[in-house]
Amino acid sequence: MRPLLITVGSRGDVQPYLALARGLLAAGHRPLLAAPRRFEALVAGHGVEFAPLNDEMLTLRDSAKGQGVRAAITAARSVKPMLRRLLDDQATLAAGRADVVIHHPKSLGGPYIAEKLGVPAVAGLLLPLYLPTSAFSSPILPVRVPRALNRASWRITSAVELPYRSAVRAWRSAALGLEGGLRTVTSLVAEGGVLHAWSPHVLPAPDDWPAAAHPTGFWTLPPDDGWTPPERLARFLDEGEPPVYVGFGSSVGDAPEALAATVVEAVRLSGRRAVLATGWGALRPGAETDGVMVIEEAPHDWLLPRVAAAVHHGGVGTVAAAVRAGVPQIVRPFMGDQPFWAARLHRLGVAPAPLAGRLTAEHLAAAIESAARLAPAARVLAGRVAAEDGVATAVARIAEHAASHT
């Protein structure tokens, strides 16, 4: 089988697809992974065939790093010509051969490449996005709604596509030569099927989803045994009790210095040590203080098993890494699906209530103390998730799906 995998976004969007490609390769298939060109070395290190995609939007994002919300909005206004170049790179994939296309929704072009090739398309989803349910509202809805409106709330997914629809329509016609009206990604996914790449122990399938949509388990790479921590980080971890990890990933805020000061004060009030990861700029600490180590980033699969708790933004990649590490979590959501995962972790008993609204040092310190009492539940959940093989389950479903369309 020749599976074509298309993903766009940050490392958190690429790494699960790389794990899936590795699984397909190990099963005797010949996957091609198309992803932003900056990840070529990462993919090559795992022996997976790679097709580079334009990554100007990631470069633009990096240029706004740490500049706050206003800079992020300004950067977003420059996206349209970059989007066309990204789609054009995807169009070149239609010149090759594929038996099935597995696409990240951020790619925008994935289902239309499958349409051009005449092969089935499967959406590989890291969060619930396209299949409505009455069990819970859409995770990307900015507010929670009464249960009676849960199913209706999923219509927001089509609205998210609206800003890009005209560009995709023009590209589909000009670059792929496809005629007829443009069908939305939402309708194409409903027809082609999905792979839900999270653990059923974290979020089980609701009763009104078909069996084929049940979550496979997380798609994870094996630990990177070749990564060596900076000496100062390794020494800090060895010098005392496991610290608290604090990092907000690619989230941004208007006052990164104030947020960092709040975090440092909360750590002091809790009587604990901490590792602060500055990430994309939501945290901008000043000089290091006693008991606080500042880094830009470190592999979660290496670092999180060495900490006492993880304070983060609620992105599903960090959620998954912390669940696997068996550490309690404290979530300060910023946007998107982050409040959904924060509420879910709290319901599972591995995180205190989400930290919404204005964050104070006192509230965060209290949450850190509450989280410490949840460590046994976090270890139990980690054991259950460790028994899953999400990649193997996904590989089997892809093979079944491709076979059913031949």
Side-chain angles (χ1 to χ4, degrees):
M1 188 170 61
R2 178 66 161 170
L4 171 60
L5 288 71
I6 309 175
T7 185
V8 169
S10 65
R11 181 163 179 154
D13 299 297
V14 173
Q15 192 160 303
Y17 273 70
L18 175 56
L20 178 60
R22 274 179 51 110
L24 287 161
L25 189 65
H29 305 297
R30 296 189 301 110
L32 172 63
L33 175 56
R37 66 178 70 254
R38 64 176 56 190
F39 298 107
E40 184 167 7
L42 172 67
V43 174
H46 291 271
V48 171
E49 189 177 347
F50 181 74
L53 300 178
N54 186 286
D55 64 357
E56 288 175 293
M57 287 191 285
L58 291 178
T59 302
L60 180 67
R61 187 197 72 171
D62 291 345
S63 70
K65 181 177 180 179
Q67 303 303 310
V69 173
R70 183 173 300 176
I73 293 173
T74 301
R77 293 173 180 156
S78 307
V79 160
K80 186 168 285 188
M82 298 179 184
L83 173 61
R84 179 55 190 260
R85 290 189 284 272
L86 168 64
L87 289 169
D88 284 344
D89 279 355
Q90 291 180 56
T92 64
L93 301 170
R97 172 188 160 241
D99 298 303
V100 60
V101 174
I102 301 97
H103 60 95
H104 192 299
K106 287 184 183 178
S107 74
L108 296 176
Y112 308 110
I113 300 299
E115 182 183 9
K116 176 67 175 179
L117 290 168
V119 300
V122 180
L125 304 182
L126 309 182
L127 68 148
L129 196 59
Y130 290 111
L131 286 191
T133 176
S134 56
F136 50 84
S137 59
S138 170
I140 63 173
L141 196 70
V143 295
R144 297 302 95 186
V145 299
R147 185 179 177 88
L149 299 178
N150 278 350
R151 181 171 285 273
S153 74
W154 290 76
R155 295 172 187 163
I156 192 174
T157 303
S158 292
V160 171
E161 296 177 39
L162 282 174
Y164 313 106
R165 195 165 292 165
S166 62
V168 172
R169 180 185 293 111
W171 166 78
R172 176 181 175 272
S173 174
L176 297 181
L178 293 172
E179 300 180 353
L182 176 74
R183 295 178 59 193
T184 65
V185 173
T186 301
S187 65
L188 290 169
V189 168
E191 177 182 292
V194 297
L195 289 168
H196 284 144
W198 63 81
S199 168
H201 291 294
V202 173
L203 180 66
D207 293 339
D208 51 1
W209 277 3
H214 285 202
T216 63
F218 293 118
W219 300 348
T220 60
L221 289 172
D224 184 2
D225 296 331
W227 189 78
T228 302
E231 182 180 347
R232 60 191 293 268
L233 175 58
R235 186 170 59 250
F236 179 80
L237 293 172
D238 288 340
E239 284 177 346
E241 292 295 315
V244 173
Y245 166 83
V246 185
F248 299 114
S250 58
S251 298
V252 295
D254 284 322
E257 294 91 350
L259 179 56
T262 297
V263 167
V264 170
E265 176 62 9
V267 170
R268 187 191 68 79
L269 291 173
S270 71
R272 295 178 177 271
R273 306 186 315 140
V275 173
L276 271 60
T278 57
W280 203 47
L283 287 173
R284 190 184 295 161
E288 289 184 347
T289 60
D290 288 344
V292 176
M293 165 72 68
V294 178
I295 62 173
E296 182 174 356
E297 61 181 358
H300 283 158
D301 286 342
W302 184 91
L303 180 58
L304 295 189
R306 293 168 166 82
V307 304
V311 181
H312 61 89
H313 57 305
V316 65
T318 308
V319 167
V323 165
R324 293 194 305 271
V327 297
Q329 306 180 48
I330 303 102
V331 184
R332 168 57 170 92
F334 285 72
M335 59 180 293
D337 59 313
Q338 295 165 9
F340 173 84
W341 294 112
R344 184 65 197 160
L345 292 169
H346 179 50
R347 185 173 178 181
L348 290 170
V350 297
L355 296 171
R358 179 175 172 269
L359 184 66
T360 68
E362 292 76 15
H363 287 158
L364 179 53
I368 291 171
E369 288 307 303
S370 296
R373 296 190 289 271
L374 304 177
R379 288 192 291 269
V380 169
L381 179 59
R384 292 171 179 164
V385 170
E388 301 168 348
D389 191 338
V391 166
T393 300
V395 168
R397 289 192 192 169
I398 291 168
E400 292 170 3
H401 195 79
S404 67
H405 286 76
T406 56

